[in-house]
Amino acid sequence: MTGVPSMHLWLIPILPFVGFLLNGLLGRKLPNPIISIIALLATGTPFVLVLNIAAHFSSLSLPYVERLGPWIQAGAFRADFAFSLDQLTLIMLLVVTGVGFLIHIYSIGYMAHEEGFWRFFAYLNLFMFFMLMLVLAENFLLVFVGWEGVGLASYLLIGFYFTRNSAANAGKKAFVVNRIGDFGFLLAMFLVIAHFGTLSFHEVFSQIAQHPELHGGFLTAIALCLVLGATGKSAQIPLYIWLPDAMEGPTPVSALIHAATMVTAGIYMTVRCHAIFDRSPLALSVVAIIGAATALFAATVGIVQTDIKRVLAYSTISQLGYMFMACGVAAYSAAIFHLLTHAFFKALLFLAAGSVIHALNGEQDMREMGGLKSKIPITFWTMTAGVVAISGIPPFAGFVSKDEILYRTFSSPGLGPILWFVGLFTAFLTSFYMFRLWYLTFFGERRTSHQGAHTPEPGHGADPLHSGHGVHESGGLMLFPLAVLAILSVSGGWVGWPDALGGGNWFGHFLDPVISAQHLSFEQVTVALNNGSSAAASSTPEGNKPLELALAAVSTVVALFGWFLAYVFYIRKPELPGKLAKQFSAVYGLVEHKYWVDEIYAALVVRPLNVFARIGLWWTVDRGLVDGAGYAAAGSAVGLGAIARRIHSGNIRSYAGWLAGGAAAILLLMYFGFGSHMFVWFAASK
């Protein structure tokens, strides 16, 4: 590091933590403007620091590591408190701090009427702190601290309206489901320690690179445990069930969780550990299949949802499935590229949905909306950018990153064409349900003026000061982030514009030093194993310009067809969806009820565990053993006390009687041998 200026990486996470402490400890007594300034400084300053790092990035020797000191030392094992920086870290830092800062600005306007204003921003800063720790960590252990921390912060933010049972239960659900995934992450760390003797990324990956003969076996076990952890954090099958319910939190929380923080953690961790995954074709195949299945499954549920936020929630699960699928075919840079563009348009979509909800005094049911295009024009046009971007229509950001994933998937051997078809059909569904949302929200006549059956966010439906001025456009604090994110949704994908379409794919080449660092050893393993049919063997496919152009044309046609079908269903023939729902009522009911997955989980897992906890743990262990031992000890003391009280009566004859009784008892014991046994024991002990 000689001659290289210190980047002071520790400042990046510590500033949001300071904001959390200030607002958490003093916020109750501070006015809202001061709370807002603290929260903005706590997130805006790290963003400036990251920009400064980006400006000096070319002068750094990578990976750049800052060791703050030893953390754990036990025998030969040592874990340092250290931060690391490389190309992947820089991109994640820009996403987390940049998008997170915009969401903070938006939140000042959106949460202005909330009673827990200080508490909300304290939690929001805490979320940023743990996510930045996770991204900057140089070892598995520090990642795990951030990993658990974002779980805690999400629990607090999802359950922000804790007086409402649905919000409190959603927070608990997110917390419990993520613990299952965290168990997998813990097992992975134990296996890493057992086989490598360290948790340092650099040391583990170096050992793997030095041993090309390593493949499968314990590396597969580690990778599969990491996959379990990632399915929890990134809401993939079978642990996706917490994310739709997370909509109980305020809308800015949804934007932060879905775009910039928690759900990206699983994708980031998978890409960070790609050196392990590269050595296990089985683990990569599992990742690809889970990703494809999740993408398709969530997209089918999204087409019938009526709550505007839940449509976006299932859309997030589906798009994360795309990223997982990309990881499964070793297209790691494509996965991170889609993570980047998804952060732009998904944050935009959630914040724009919040602006719609804000305009309608808490209304979230799209069946109650309509005709908002002219009422809230800025929200309409910015949300349009997000809808077109996620639908995969060129030249918006979503088209570039999604097309890259589909091309890399199709180019991979084995399951590649099947995965590509699943991804293509999912792209069609995505376009359909996003334009469905667009038409139902902004076009036609306002269908009703009363609120639906859902429970609106408290600050946007129950506040009489807020609900008295009808449909209205949001204020500048809420519109500014929308405008910035709309620009990024349009142009953000150009950094990875593919070679086949005349671009240079700068983004992919920028990540090459991180992503391709282990490819050589993997190819050696592949050759050694003669395993050319593995999905992972496609990690560096040869460029095929005609094929890429043809696939891009197909995906564009599919996206436009999804748009056209939504137009027919919700503008030209709005009665058609109802007729189809009646005609195919069984299928519609299955999808409408989300395949009854929550009910199946409740029947097979939740209720049996509740019965076991109530009968096996509560009645047997807690009441029977723990409480019973206490009651028995107390009862024995009371009984012995009662006997002692009767002995100490003050009556001489009574004392003589007890003395005689005691002597008789001793004589009887000695007569029946007890005394001889005691003598033998005493003699043996001598």
Side-chain angles (χ1 to χ4, degrees):
M1 298 298 166
T2 304
V4 177
S6 174
M7 293 291 103
H8 299 293
L9 296 179
W10 61 275
L11 279 173
I12 296 173
I14 204 67
L15 288 171
F17 188 70
V18 171
F20 158 71
L21 290 178
L22 289 175
N23 277 334
L25 296 175
L26 307 174
R28 189 188 295 271
K29 298 179 181 178
L30 295 176
N32 284 0
I34 300 298
I35 295 170
S36 304
I37 290 172
I38 292 172
L40 289 181
L41 287 175
T43 50
T45 308
F47 180 55
V48 173
L49 291 174
V50 174
L51 291 178
N52 178 61
I53 290 173
H56 296 87
F57 196 69
S58 60
S59 65
L60 297 176
S61 176
L62 300 175
Y64 171 84
V65 178
E66 283 186 4
R67 299 187 189 281
L68 303 183
W71 183 11
I72 295 176
Q73 180 84 50
F77 176 79
R78 173 192 172 103
D80 290 337
F81 203 94
F83 296 130
S84 176
L85 176 71
D86 59 12
Q87 290 84 352
L88 177 59
T89 310
L90 179 64
I91 290 170
M92 291 298 297
L93 287 177
L94 287 170
V95 170
V96 175
T97 58
V99 177
F101 180 57
L102 290 173
I103 293 171
H104 274 69
I105 295 174
Y106 177 94
S107 301
I108 293 171
Y110 191 84
M111 301 297 288
H113 302 281
E114 297 290 348
E115 291 184 1
F117 190 80
W118 62 275
R119 186 164 52 89
F120 177 80
F121 280 100
Y123 294 163
L124 220 55
N125 281 172
L126 184 66
F127 212 148
M128 295 285 288
F129 162 70
F130 281 122
M131 189 64 196
L132 291 170
M133 287 280 286
L134 188 155
V135 170
L136 282 166
E138 194 279 328
N139 55 57
F140 284 93
L141 194 58
L142 199 51
V143 166
F144 191 69
V145 172
W147 191 269
E148 289 296 303
V150 294
L152 169 65
S154 68
Y155 164 75
L156 296 171
L157 283 168
I158 294 169
F160 179 76
Y161 302 122
F162 59 86
T163 55
R164 207 166 65 195
N165 282 337
S166 57
N169 291 335
K172 286 187 287 186
K173 187 176 184 180
F175 193 81
V176 172
V177 172
N178 272 281
R179 296 293 74 74
I180 299 171
D182 297 347
F183 179 66
F185 195 104
L186 273 173
L187 290 179
M189 285 203 301
F190 296 151
L191 289 172
V192 168
I193 294 173
H195 290 281
F196 297 102
T198 178
L199 288 173
S200 165
F201 287 134
H202 177 70
E203 294 177 18
V204 170
F205 300 156
S206 295
Q207 289 187 40
I208 292 174
Q210 291 167 7
H211 296 281
E213 74 279 4
L214 291 178
H215 63 274
F218 71 89
L219 290 176
T220 296
I222 294 172
L224 291 178
C225 289
L226 290 175
V227 170
L228 178 60
T231 55
K233 277 291 179 288
S234 290
Q236 297 292 288
I237 292 174
L239 301 180
Y240 72 91
I241 53 174
W242 65 272
L243 193 57
D245 289 0
M247 297 302 99
E248 292 291 338
T251 300
V253 171
S254 304
L256 191 64
I257 291 176
H258 288 241
T261 54
M262 187 162 169
V263 299
T264 65
I267 308 298
Y268 167 75
M269 188 268 292
T270 304
V271 176
R272 172 62 71 195
C273 299
H274 72 95
I276 298 173
F277 284 88
D278 282 346
R279 301 301 183 90
S280 174
L282 173 63
L284 282 176
S285 299
V286 170
V287 172
I289 292 170
I290 287 176
T294 306
L296 179 61
F297 172 85
T300 58
V301 176
I303 61 177
V304 298
Q305 294 298 303
T306 54
D307 184 306
I308 189 170
K309 288 177 65 177
R310 286 190 176 266
V311 174
L312 298 178
Y314 280 101
S315 166
T316 298
I317 297 171
S318 181
Q319 297 302 306
L320 290 166
Y322 263 104
M323 299 174 210
F324 247 68
M325 189 169 68
C327 291
V329 296
Y332 304 109
S333 62
I336 294 298
F337 187 29
H338 199 56
L339 185 154
L340 172 73
T341 61
H342 180 262
F344 298 151
F345 55 71
K346 187 49 60 73
L348 168 62
L349 288 168
F350 265 112
L351 297 187
S355 184
V356 171
I357 295 169
H358 181 83
L360 299 179
N361 302 323
E363 184 60 72
Q364 294 178 205
D365 192 333
M366 296 186 298
R367 294 169 298 184
E368 312 291 325
M369 299 180 185
L372 297 177
K373 177 183 175 184
S374 59
K375 304 285 186 183
I376 46 175
I378 299 176
T379 299
F380 166 72
W381 284 110
T382 52
M383 193 166 194
T384 299
V387 169
V388 177
I390 195 175
S391 299
I393 294 173
F396 288 70
F399 160 76
V400 189
S401 56
K402 193 179 294 183
D403 185 63
E404 177 74 5
I405 291 176
L406 291 176
Y407 168 63
R408 299 294 294 274
T409 303
F410 187 87
S411 303
S412 64
L415 296 174
I418 298 174
L419 296 173
W420 169 81
F421 181 77
V422 172
L424 187 71
F425 186 62
T426 302
F428 159 72
L429 294 176
T430 303
S431 176
F432 173 76
Y433 69 67
M434 287 310 303
F435 279 105
R436 170 179 176 265
L437 178 151
W438 191 59
Y439 283 124
L440 287 175
T441 303
F442 294 106
F443 291 85
E445 298 295 327
R446 178 76 188 274
R447 283 172 283 279
T448 59
S449 58
H450 62 81
Q451 294 183 350
H454 73 279
T455 305
E457 291 182 20
H460 300 86
D463 184 355
L465 294 175
H466 181 79
S467 60
H469 41 69
V471 179
H472 58 285
E473 185 61 278
S474 302
L477 282 173
M478 294 173 64
L479 294 179
F480 171 72
L482 293 183
V484 175
L485 289 168
I487 294 170
L488 292 171
S489 298
V490 173
S491 60
W494 298 350
V495 296
W497 198 258
D499 295 332
L501 298 178
N505 194 6
W506 174 87
F507 188 87
H509 295 310
F510 180 71
L511 278 179
D512 271 347
V514 179
I515 302 302
S516 63
Q518 304 298 325
H519 283 169
L520 179 62
S521 54
F522 169 64
E523 288 169 356
Q524 290 171 346
V525 171
T526 305
V527 171
L529 293 174
N530 193 21
N531 192 22
S533 61
S534 100
S538 63
S539 57
T540 55
E542 295 295 328
N544 189 332
K545 185 175 179 179
L547 176 63
E548 190 168 1
L549 285 173
L551 294 178
V554 170
S555 64
T556 302
V557 170
V558 163
L560 291 174
F561 181 64
W563 184 352
F564 172 74
L565 203 62
Y567 170 74
V568 171
F569 274 33
Y570 298 100
I571 298 296
R572 292 292 300 276
K573 298 180 179 179
E575 74 284 358
L576 195 55
K579 290 181 179 177
L580 290 175
K582 288 182 180 178
Q583 188 173 355
F584 301 100
S585 57
V587 176
Y588 183 82
L590 181 67
V591 178
E592 185 183 28
H593 290 92
K594 298 162 283 187
Y595 299 93
W596 303 99
V597 171
D598 282 335
E599 288 76 7
I600 293 171
Y601 267 110
L604 297 182
V605 180
V606 179
R607 286 174 194 151
L609 282 178
N610 278 340
V611 170
F612 172 72
R614 188 177 299 114
I615 298 176
L617 298 180
W618 171 244
W619 284 105
T620 305
V621 178
D622 199 51
R623 298 293 300 273
L625 294 179
V626 179
D627 290 357
Y631 292 141
S636 301
V638 170
L640 290 173
I643 294 172
R645 188 173 64 248
R646 291 184 63 84
I647 292 174
H648 293 280
S649 61
N651 189 318
I652 298 297
R653 287 185 297 175
S654 175
Y655 289 157
W658 284 109
L659 185 62
I666 291 173
L667 288 173
L668 284 173
L669 288 173
M670 293 183 68
Y671 179 78
F672 286 106
F674 178 75
S676 59
H677 290 304
M678 290 293 292
F679 176 78
V680 170
W681 173 82
F682 181 74
S685 65
K686 286 289 186 180

